[in-house]
Amino acid sequence: MMNAQAVDQYFKDNRETHLEELKTFLRIPSVSSLSEHKADMRKGAEWLISAMESAGLENAKIDETDGHPVVYADWLHAAGKPTVLVYGHYDVQPVDPLHLWESAPFEPQVRDNKLYARGASDDKGQVFMHLKAVEALLQLNGELPVNVKFIIEGEEEIGSPSLPKYVEENQELLKSDIIVISDTGMQGPGRPAVCYGLRGLAGIQIDVKGPKGDLHSGLYGGAVQNPLHAIVEILQSFRDQEGLIQVEGFYDDVLEVSDKEREEFAALEFDLEHEKQEIGISEDFGEKGYSFVERTWIRPTLEVNGITGGFSGEGIKTVLPAEASTKITCRLVPNQDPDDIVAKLKAHVESHKPKGVTVEISEFDKGKPFLTPYDHPAIQAAGRSYEKVYGVPTAFTRMGGSIPIVAAFDEILGLPVVLMGFGLASENFHAPNEHFHLENFDKGLRVISEYLHQVAELD
């Protein structure tokens, strides 16, 4: 068993040192999407190597990919014990618009017990916590209760294009029993949560073309099909008035959720009125028979993300546009396959295409849904670890969003994935003034340390 008092004292004694080390990490502008930061990406990977070796990890190395490098390290001396693979990312989002930052995004500042910097919450701060938990246990005990491997990538913020190939080619290196990811959030302040399911993603673009050029609506209106009207007709065919998706076969493979799991969702006591007030709507919308939480966690969606075409400037222009375009994304739930859904979307568009136009469909953004049963021992162990430190029951949740690499891990390595996040939805990740509540930094270090011991006791 873990000596919780000794671990707690270690983190207290080293808190300022740890924060200064994290600040050094956060000063590296490792923006994966911008080519001018390619050298900074390399610098971020090199910083991790140094931090891993300092923590006591072994075999630390930078592995090249088709894009930004992957960083790997391990400690494998706990004979007969499980192996935990820790995944995270060292790349960050761009910082625009810069003028909205209250302090420079790559000059970390602590204000009101919050650490402000790009990457503080997503995901450098959370990656750093895993390194320091390992360091603490090695310093205190000279060993870890389990074997650990780290894989930290540099392309998560651009969709992890190189990582599936890397995982496929390094299955033996990454062979483990459990994957742990800290890149998600808690239910709220003081309300820990373990996420065990994510929705997948499938997206298409529909381009509708009519005449060879824009036409005068007075001379040709009423005699020539308008691509904007055509695209609206196609879009209208996708859903009924209550949001039920009308694409043939769309729901065929949806994995239904058990009554027990739905009871767990209801027990979370989600505040719908507060949510409506927060996002500025008067009433919610969606499939009958499902709550707001269920619609966003366990039901698939089809959403129009944007429409372009024709004239949208100031004033009026009597034009019949030559073309129009729309982008659509579907969030998918377990057992739905992105390729299958895209094929069904294409068939639907073809069968609902109005006369007088041609239609082209482009595919983009695919990711499979992910689910680890919430009663899996590795998931329940995470819940116990949170509860021991935070002193309140842990919520077991799903997320409406998608992390495609999670599904790739699940599919390629066939391992349970435990999403142990310490961020809060209010922390502005991807936005100006990103920050990390240091209360969750402090407690999270202890939760991770506890979890490694909990895993060691699993059969």
Side-chain angles (χ1 to χ4, degrees):
M1 294 294 293
M2 184 177 77
N3 185 335
Q5 287 185 327
V7 170
D8 186 65
Q9 191 62 49
Y10 181 89
F11 288 131
K12 286 180 179 178
D13 292 343
N14 291 277
R15 187 176 192 265
E16 292 308 312
T17 299
H18 290 166
L19 285 178
E20 287 305 313
E21 291 175 6
L22 176 55
K23 287 178 182 179
T24 300
F25 192 21
L26 293 169
R27 289 189 182 102
I28 302 171
S30 48
V31 182
S32 55
S33 62
L34 301 176
S35 58
E36 61 261 36
H37 288 290
K38 186 174 182 180
D40 295 314
M41 294 300 299
R42 173 68 56 172
K43 187 176 179 181
E46 291 171 348
W47 186 93
L48 274 171
I49 291 292
S50 177
M52 288 170 164
E53 291 175 341
S54 177
L57 291 167
E58 301 169 347
N59 302 311
K61 62 174 181 170
I62 293 176
D63 282 338
E64 304 300 332
T65 71
D66 294 335
H68 299 302
V70 167
V71 182
Y72 173 88
D74 59 36
W75 189 93
L76 305 174
H77 303 293
K81 293 295 184 180
T83 298
V84 176
L85 175 62
V86 178
Y87 162 85
H89 63 94
Y90 64 92
D91 64 322
V92 299
Q93 283 278 324
V95 298
D96 302 303
L98 188 58
H99 71 278
L100 294 180
W101 286 81
E102 294 179 15
S103 55
F106 296 112
E107 285 299 329
Q109 288 191 10
V110 175
R111 302 192 297 272
D112 300 323
N113 204 34
K114 303 170 190 174
L115 178 59
Y116 285 81
R118 174 58 88 229
S121 177
D122 181 22
D123 182 38
K124 288 181 176 179
Q126 300 197 58
V127 166
F128 182 82
M129 289 159 61
H130 281 276
L131 293 175
K132 290 301 152 183
V134 165
E135 176 186 284
L137 297 180
L138 286 174
Q139 287 288 326
L140 292 170
N141 305 320
E143 61 181 7
L144 299 178
V146 294
N147 303 291
V148 296
K149 297 179 179 180
F150 279 73
I151 174 175
I152 314 298
E153 70 156 319
E155 296 184 333
E156 194 275 343
E157 299 293 5
I158 55 174
S160 303
S162 304
L163 197 58
K165 179 182 176 183
Y166 176 86
V167 174
E168 188 76 49
E169 293 176 347
N170 291 277
Q171 293 185 54
E172 188 62 32
L173 176 71
L174 302 176
K175 187 177 180 181
S176 305
D177 298 289
I178 299 166
I179 300 174
V180 175
I181 300 175
S182 294
D183 194 16
T184 52
M186 298 177 33
Q187 281 286 91
R191 298 174 61 199
V194 177
C195 179
Y196 62 92
L198 300 167
R199 292 195 290 190
L201 183 66
I204 62 171
Q205 177 172 315
I206 305 171
D207 295 304
V208 176
K209 297 182 179 180
K212 64 181 180 181
D214 289 356
L215 301 176
H216 190 291
S217 67
L219 296 178
Y220 293 97
V224 175
Q225 176 67 278
N226 185 323
L228 274 172
H229 284 283
I231 211 163
V232 168
E233 187 175 332
I234 292 171
L235 293 177
Q236 188 65 26
S237 74
F238 277 124
R239 304 194 319 190
D240 68 11
Q241 291 183 336
E242 293 178 346
L244 195 68
I245 297 163
Q246 302 298 296
V247 175
E248 185 175 354
F250 188 88
Y251 294 100
D252 284 356
D253 298 321
V254 169
L255 180 66
E256 296 297 333
V257 177
S258 69
D259 291 340
K260 181 180 180 182
E261 198 169 351
R262 295 185 75 180
E263 289 170 5
E264 294 282 348
F265 296 156
L268 295 175
E269 299 181 350
F270 175 78
D271 189 340
L272 178 58
E273 292 306 314
H274 175 76
E275 186 69 20
K276 290 192 294 186
Q277 184 177 356
E278 280 291 301
I279 61 179
I281 60 172
S282 59
E283 55 185 320
D284 59 321
F285 167 84
E287 250 185 296
K288 278 188 174 180
Y290 294 95
S291 67
F292 187 101
V293 164
E294 290 172 333
R295 291 171 188 160
T296 55
W297 287 2
I298 65 170
R299 298 303 291 168
T301 69
L302 187 154
E303 298 291 347
V304 179
N305 304 130
I307 305 176
T308 58
F311 177 72
S312 58
E314 186 177 357
I316 191 168
K317 181 181 181 183
T318 55
V319 63
L320 191 159
E323 57 187 27
S325 178
T326 184
K327 295 180 188 293
I328 293 170
T329 51
C330 298
R331 298 290 174 169
L332 310 179
V333 297
N335 286 8
Q336 287 186 301
D337 180 78
D339 291 324
D340 176 65
I341 293 299
V342 167
K344 288 172 177 173
L345 293 176
K346 288 181 176 180
H348 180 90
V349 172
E350 191 61 35
S351 66
H352 289 78
K353 178 181 68 177
K355 294 180 180 179
V357 294
T358 60
V359 175
E360 295 180 2
I361 300 175
S362 306
E363 303 178 19
F364 62 96
D365 287 354
K366 289 181 184 176
K368 290 188 176 182
F370 149 77
L371 181 68
T372 293
Y374 81 101
D375 56 357
H376 191 285
I379 297 285
Q380 293 298 312
R384 292 193 298 273
S385 301
Y386 276 113
E387 186 168 346
K388 188 166 185 177
V389 175
Y390 279 85
V392 297
T394 303
F396 296 95
T397 69
R398 297 199 196 187
M399 271 179 53
S402 307
I403 307 177
I405 194 57
V406 173
F409 275 133
D410 180 46
E411 186 175 17
I412 298 169
L413 299 180
L415 301 176
V417 181
V418 182
L419 297 168
M420 296 180 64
F422 299 95
L424 296 175
S426 61
E427 290 179 336
N428 290 359
F429 43 89
H430 292 207
N433 300 310
E434 178 180 348
H435 57 279
F436 192 22
H437 284 69
L438 292 181
E439 175 189 2
N440 293 326
F441 174 80
D442 294 330
K443 290 184 176 179
L445 289 164
R446 293 153 175 82
V447 172
I448 294 168
S449 304
E450 175 65 29
Y451 184 63
L452 295 180
H453 282 83
Q454 289 276 348
V455 170
E457 300 304 315
L458 297 180
D459 293 332

